[in-house]
Amino acid sequence: MRPTSGRASVGGFDITTQGLQAKTLMSYVPDQPYLYDKLTAREFLRMIGDLYNLPRDQVEGKIAEMAGAFELEGFMDDLTESYSHGMKQRTVLAAALLHEPKVLVIDEPM
């Protein structure tokens, strides 16, 4: 939808005319974590890295960093369909932080 009036920007980028640039600065964590059940956390995070056009070596380093920060090391190669709700939330948060966003929107964090 296009706004009928007003202006919004993220990081100086107008979201109407420079939406792609604005989106690269942001991440969103929904209330209900959505993961692809037939992917492992590692595969999911690689996919997110690809969506942001991050170099693969940088992605692998960030995956290792996020796995440690969110205590996912022992689960990185398990299908996400086996994860508890809390594990899914941690994985989605790791994905949101993977590209080091300037703006992080978290829906209902508590």
Side-chain angles (χ1 to χ4, degrees):
M1 294 179 64
R2 291 243 180 240
T4 56
S5 64
R7 180 183 176 304
S9 64
V10 175
F13 295 107
D14 184 292
I15 61 168
T16 303
T17 60
Q18 299 170 303
L20 188 56
Q21 293 94 328
K23 289 175 188 173
T24 63
L25 301 177
M26 303 180 343
S27 271
Y28 172 67
V29 179
D31 180 38
Q32 292 296 318
Y34 179 79
L35 297 168
Y36 294 95
D37 287 343
K38 298 302 180 188
L39 292 180
T40 66
R42 187 178 314 281
E43 292 167 334
F44 181 74
L45 293 172
R46 283 178 180 154
M47 180 186 74
I48 297 301
D50 288 344
L51 290 173
Y52 282 100
N53 294 316
L54 299 175
R56 183 52 66 104
D57 60 330
Q58 179 183 347
V59 170
E60 294 303 322
K62 290 300 291 182
I63 288 173
E65 180 184 332
M66 293 292 113
F70 292 101
E71 299 179 355
L72 296 168
E73 297 100 330
F75 305 94
M76 292 300 292
D77 298 307
D78 295 342
L79 294 178
T80 61
E81 69 184 358
S82 68
Y83 288 9
S84 67
H85 182 74
M87 285 294 296
K88 289 179 180 181
Q89 286 178 314
R90 287 192 267 167
T91 303
V92 169
L93 187 54
L97 295 173
L98 193 70
H99 74 286
E100 300 178 4
K102 303 288 184 217
V103 177
L104 178 62
V105 178
I106 302 176
D107 183 15
E108 309 238 4
M110 300 303 195

